[in-house]
Amino acid sequence: MRWILPACCSGDDDFAESGEEVRSRPKDVTSQDDAKWDFPERLRSARSRSRFDLIKILDEVKREDKWRERLAPSEVSKDLLGLLTHSLNDLLSPFVESIEEKIEKSNQRVLSWETACIGDVFETLQSVARKGGNSDWRSAREALGFLLEMIAALWNRRCTAKEIIPNVNFESLAVNRLVSILQIIWFRQVSHSTTVECRNRWSEWERVKSELHTRDDCIAVVLNFSSKATLLHLLTTAKFGEAKSTFTVRRYSSFIDALSQATKSGLLNEQGAENNPQAKSVKIFPSFVDDALTATSVDGGLGNGGGLVVVKEGGEGHGPRREFFEYVGQTMGGSDKKGAMAGKCPFLFNRSAGAFWLNADMEENEESVDGFRFAGWLLGQSIHNRCHVGIQLPELFFQRLIDGEDFSVSLAMLEEFDEEAARAIKNVMKLDEKKFKNFLTMESLPASCSRSQYGENAAEELLIEKTGWQMTALSEGFYSAIGKIALQLTKVVPSDLQKMICGNNSPKGQDIHIQKTFRIVVDVETSGTPMPDCLWKILESWESDMKKGFLKFVTGSAKLPLPETELLRIEAPFVALTVKERKAHLGMLPQLMKIMEERLSVAVTSCVGYDLDELSSPHADEEMLPHVDSTQKVANSPVHPVHPAQMASSSGGEEPWGDIYFADGAPQRMESIGFNSSATTIKEIDQMLAEMDADPNFI
């Protein structure tokens, strides 16, 4: 989608919350000499020679008085922008590659992605600078800062001219790779962050900007949506800190359950205060209960007495949080299987547009306004929690959210979003004069209304007027979580916001590459064994849908993150085995790949819940379902979770894997090597183990 830049992105609004100096923008004046500016040719030539020549050319241009004026809108082109971003990558990439190489090739017990800190980043930069001479890094960082300033000037020129921006890519690969390293260091711990930790992250970011000789408003222009989301979070938490909130929900009624709890806890009132820290960045800690429970049980029954126990599922990792936002998004769009959200969904699917849009049929009252406000707040919190909601909203929705009252539509814009609705309006506009006048009378429109006026007014009614109060309430909730100034400073555009909140969906059927997307961390006990290779061979043989199922099983979301912005850990399970037994079992994996693939496939396609993280509330009211023991069959439950305390008893205290239950309810014993196999297969495995024990050459 092509989009028109909002007024908030103009060059005159070039400011930062941290009090950085406002820089005035030059007038759009172009002289005859400017048209002969040969900077692009000189820059292209310098790139082909050496980094030293590149730095020299940039230094010469920086000393010119009128370089800003020379960047008139007529001079702005994909070619010039491409030259600047490629030059930026040329200068920064060697330093970023050195940082990655140091982390990945170091001894895991000394330095790894699990232990790296910001100090290691700066230490590597200084080490590379010393090898090339400190003056090399000093001149390089000044050139980097100037390149970022020029790219930002191009951005601001286009904003000032209010030109329509086509698909021009301002992003810098090297800068975003650097930010991806910082993301892993800052966010690999998924617990609640203290105020001190939030401010330390901001101080570290300030140092990164200092090393790159730049400011927030300049570097934001070259960031991708994931990096901009990180900067948004840093800006917010540096000022307001990070609060935390818990929700206990049924998966397929997540939104209505969370809304009810937010209303009773007073969270909705806090959302009305734009600068209230309790409504800004809030880390969500969810837990899940059986979908068969009533809304009353989930909302008010927990912990209120009674002799029954409700089984809750939770987890310490990021997966439950991702799953929460996934289900919240789905239920906001009307996928509530129990019907509890009937008529209360903030979004409805527009069949003719093929996309979700605000629910125009809902009556305006206090309850519905609270629902839209809470929906907007959750959309904002998905950014702070680094999660995606399970609903795909169109880019036009986010343009309206960013533009606010300045949002304007046209018939052409409606046609791009909803071709069928636009066609119906055009059919009216094609009526002969008499029929058109009769139509205006029937619709209580003034007789003086022209055909073009009718078309524009009809488009505005469909996209704005019918959902006016809905968007007002939703925007209020969203901006209580994401500050408008922070959004402007980070140069977030509608397509960025769409990807931050809804995810960067790959086209249906397109293959996904898990190993290339994540930074892989293999623990010491697993490193050097066949386990990682076996896993990759299995995943590579799977179709795209199965790979997405694996992503959902492992991370809580079937959507891929941007490449190398998150860790994927491969760890040996905690099993009471000797070193020799462990090596024997791992050494058998290549021969047992078929069984391994079969069991992994069952887990991916059938498993629901968090087996080792089940929580139990000691009290519940009488409306709640009785506690179901993990050794009993549960209807419509693909995999019933096993409490850690039950594992020893269910396995007789001898085997460490306990029991697992599949859809048919029949318990299957998981043997000590982790495979749920038939008796014949177990006998074969025992024989293989005996042969390995007898082989003196087997390690």
Side-chain angles (χ1 to χ4, degrees):
M1 176 179 289
R2 291 156 62 89
W3 55 273
I4 300 175
L5 279 171
C8 67
C9 290
S10 67
D12 294 334
D13 288 331
D14 187 23
F15 57 88
E17 282 188 314
S18 56
E20 296 175 87
E21 181 181 358
V22 176
R23 302 198 175 193
S24 60
R25 297 296 174 195
K27 298 179 180 179
D28 294 332
V29 179
T30 307
S31 66
Q32 292 292 330
D33 293 336
D34 294 336
K36 301 176 182 178
W37 196 35
D38 62 350
F39 169 64
E41 290 72 20
R42 292 160 61 197
L43 184 63
R44 186 179 290 106
S45 177
R47 283 192 66 226
S48 66
R49 294 196 298 271
S50 68
R51 190 170 65 172
F52 174 79
D53 290 328
L54 181 58
I55 293 172
K56 182 179 178 182
I57 291 297
L58 291 169
D59 185 59
E60 290 174 0
V61 175
K62 185 178 180 180
R63 297 174 188 276
E64 296 179 9
D65 294 333
K66 296 184 178 181
W67 71 263
R68 285 184 181 275
E69 284 85 342
R70 295 175 193 271
L71 295 175
S74 60
E75 292 283 339
V76 177
S77 66
K78 288 185 179 181
D79 183 51
L80 177 57
L81 179 62
L83 276 172
L84 294 176
T85 53
H86 287 315
S87 299
L88 185 62
N89 293 334
D90 291 342
L91 292 177
L92 186 58
S93 289
F95 297 97
V96 177
E97 289 168 2
S98 297
I99 296 170
E100 293 175 328
E101 184 177 6
K102 178 178 179 180
I103 296 175
E104 291 172 356
K105 294 188 177 180
S106 296
N107 186 317
Q108 282 195 30
R109 299 185 185 276
V110 177
L111 180 64
S112 69
W113 286 114
E114 295 278 20
T115 59
C117 63
I118 298 297
D120 296 312
V121 173
F122 295 123
E123 182 182 328
T124 305
L125 285 177
Q126 293 166 2
S127 175
V128 175
R130 283 194 296 270
K131 290 179 181 178
N134 286 322
S135 59
D136 179 60
W137 172 241
R138 191 182 309 113
S139 57
R141 63 195 288 264
E142 290 176 0
L144 287 169
F146 180 56
L147 281 168
L148 287 167
E149 192 168 2
M150 291 191 76
I151 295 171
L154 290 182
W155 173 279
N156 289 322
R157 283 288 183 176
R158 299 188 81 94
C159 295
T160 304
K162 297 189 183 300
E163 293 185 352
I164 294 179
I165 293 187
N167 296 321
V168 177
N169 188 4
F170 280 80
E171 297 172 9
S172 163
L173 178 62
V175 173
N176 284 294
R177 284 182 73 87
L178 176 60
V179 177
S180 74
I181 295 172
L182 303 179
Q183 286 176 319
I184 289 176
I185 293 173
W186 284 330
F187 304 125
R188 63 182 169 226
Q189 299 297 329
V190 296
S191 57
H192 173 253
S193 299
T194 65
T195 302
V196 173
E197 289 172 331
C198 293
R199 290 175 179 170
N200 284 344
R201 287 173 189 160
W202 180 253
S203 297
E204 291 165 348
W205 175 245
E206 290 282 323
R207 186 176 172 187
V208 170
K209 289 186 297 180
S210 176
E211 289 291 333
L212 298 180
H213 217 264
T214 190
R215 313 183 308 270
D216 283 317
D217 60 306
C218 288
I219 197 171
V221 172
V222 301
L223 298 181
N224 57 35
F225 74 90
S226 179
S227 299
K228 287 181 181 180
T230 295
L231 183 53
L232 264 176
H233 179 71
L234 291 178
L235 281 166
T236 304
T237 54
K239 184 174 182 180
F240 298 100
E242 184 176 73
K244 59 182 177 180
S245 183
T246 59
F247 292 103
T248 299
V249 299
R250 297 164 294 174
R251 283 182 172 84
Y252 295 108
S253 303
S254 295
F255 178 75
I256 194 69
D257 289 346
L259 170 61
S260 178
Q261 292 166 39
T263 303
K264 290 194 172 185
S265 67
L267 185 61
L268 288 178
N269 296 331
E270 293 169 355
Q271 291 167 25
E274 189 169 330
N275 292 320
N276 190 331
Q278 296 304 315
K280 285 294 182 184
S281 177
V282 180
K283 184 66 66 67
I284 304 296
F285 292 89
S287 55
F288 302 95
V289 295
D290 197 312
D291 281 275
L293 291 173
T294 64
T296 305
S297 299
V298 176
D299 185 31
L302 292 173
N304 288 338
L308 302 177
V309 178
V310 173
V311 176
K312 292 198 294 179
E313 300 171 41
E316 298 176 356
H318 197 48
R321 192 172 295 120
R322 277 183 169 153
E323 189 174 1
F324 171 78
F325 280 98
E326 186 79 20
Y327 281 110
V328 158
Q330 291 176 17
T331 52
M332 281 197 294
S335 65
D336 182 2
K337 295 184 178 180
K338 301 298 180 183
M341 282 290 291
K344 300 179 182 179
C345 303
F347 302 98
L348 292 178
F349 188 72
N350 184 328
R351 290 185 62 186
S352 60
F356 283 92
W357 194 251
L358 294 164
N359 186 347
D361 299 330
M362 194 178 296
E363 181 182 350
E364 182 180 6
N365 52 49
E366 184 177 354
E367 182 182 2
S368 60
V369 169
D370 282 347
F372 275 96
R373 189 185 298 122
F374 186 59
W377 182 80
L378 285 172
L379 294 182
Q381 292 306 328
S382 70
I383 298 175
H384 290 307
N385 284 268
R386 304 179 70 241
C387 298
H388 301 139
V389 296
I391 183 173
Q392 198 64 31
L393 299 170
E395 189 176 323
L396 186 64
F397 167 80
F398 293 101
Q399 182 174 341
R400 184 178 176 187
L401 183 61
I402 291 176
D403 288 359
E405 295 181 356
D406 295 327
F407 179 70
S408 60
V409 298
S410 64
L411 184 57
M413 188 181 294
L414 174 64
E415 186 173 18
E416 188 174 352
F417 171 66
D418 189 344
E419 188 176 353
E420 187 176 317
R423 188 186 305 116
I425 294 173
K426 286 184 175 181
N427 288 338
V428 173
M429 295 169 64
K430 292 177 182 178
L431 294 173
D432 60 46
E433 190 65 25
K434 182 179 179 180
K435 290 182 179 179
F436 183 70
K437 292 294 184 183
N438 290 337
F439 178 82
L440 293 179
T441 303
M442 184 175 62
E443 293 293 320
S444 302
L445 295 173
S448 60
C449 180
S450 67
R451 297 172 189 271
S452 60
Q453 286 176 330
Y454 165 74
E456 299 302 311
N457 291 340
E460 184 174 341
E461 180 183 5
L462 286 175
L463 293 179
I464 298 179
E465 293 178 5
K466 281 191 172 182
T467 53
W469 69 265
Q470 292 93 327
M471 194 66 189
T472 299
L474 187 141
S475 297
E476 182 182 336
F478 178 79
Y479 284 112
S480 68
I482 302 291
K484 291 183 179 180
I485 294 179
L487 205 65
Q488 295 165 6
L489 178 64
T490 51
K491 312 295 185 188
V492 172
V493 298
S495 59
D496 290 329
L497 202 55
Q498 181 192 41
K499 292 173 184 175
M500 288 180 193
I501 294 173
C502 301
N504 189 20
N505 277 347
S506 56
K508 189 173 183 180
Q510 178 178 323
D511 194 18
I512 57 178
H513 302 282
I514 297 174
Q515 190 175 2
K516 294 179 181 178
T517 301
F518 292 88
R519 294 189 187 270
I520 308 300
V521 176
V522 182
D523 70 1
V524 176
E525 293 182 336
T526 307
S527 180
T529 71
M531 182 185 287
D533 288 339
C534 290
L535 176 62
W536 302 134
K537 287 178 182 178
I538 290 172
L539 293 179
E540 286 171 8
S541 69
W542 282 1
E543 297 293 331
S544 177
D545 289 344
M546 280 295 290
K547 291 180 182 178
K548 289 182 178 179
F550 175 80
L551 278 176
K552 172 77 173 176
F553 177 71
V554 173
T555 70
S557 173
K559 298 174 183 176
L560 280 172
L562 275 185
E564 300 183 327
T565 59
E566 295 187 13
L567 298 180
L568 184 66
R569 300 174 177 88
I570 301 178
E571 301 174 346
F574 176 75
V575 184
L577 298 175
T578 65
V579 174
K580 183 178 179 180
E581 288 173 331
R582 184 181 295 279
K583 287 183 177 180
H585 293 159
L586 291 174
M588 289 171 56
L589 287 178
Q591 296 99 311
L592 300 176
M593 273 189 60
K594 184 174 180 60
I595 300 176
M596 182 179 176
E597 179 179 6
E598 183 182 319
R599 297 307 165 229
L600 186 58
S601 177
V602 169
V604 167
T605 57
S606 304
C607 187
V608 175
Y610 303 93
D611 293 355
L612 299 181
D613 295 314
E614 178 186 303
L615 307 172
S616 295
S617 172
H619 301 289
D621 68 15
E622 294 181 358
E623 292 186 76
M624 292 187 176
L625 295 181
H627 171 67
V628 182
D629 189 275
S630 64
T631 59
Q632 296 176 354
K633 176 178 176 180
V634 180
N636 302 320
S637 178
V639 176
H640 184 66
V642 181
H643 193 281
Q646 298 171 326
M647 294 182 70
S649 59
S650 64
S651 60
E654 298 175 356
E655 295 181 11
W657 284 86
D659 298 325
I660 190 166
Y661 292 80
F662 297 98
D664 60 1
Q668 303 288 335
R669 174 70 66 193
M670 294 188 73
E671 301 301 326
S672 60
I673 59 170
F675 296 110
N676 175 11
S677 309
S678 65
T680 303
T681 305
I682 295 298
K683 185 176 180 180
E684 293 173 353
I685 293 173
D686 289 339
Q687 183 178 352
M688 293 175 67
L689 284 172
E691 292 173 356
M692 291 175 181
D693 287 337
D695 185 356
N697 297 319
F698 179 77
I699 300 177

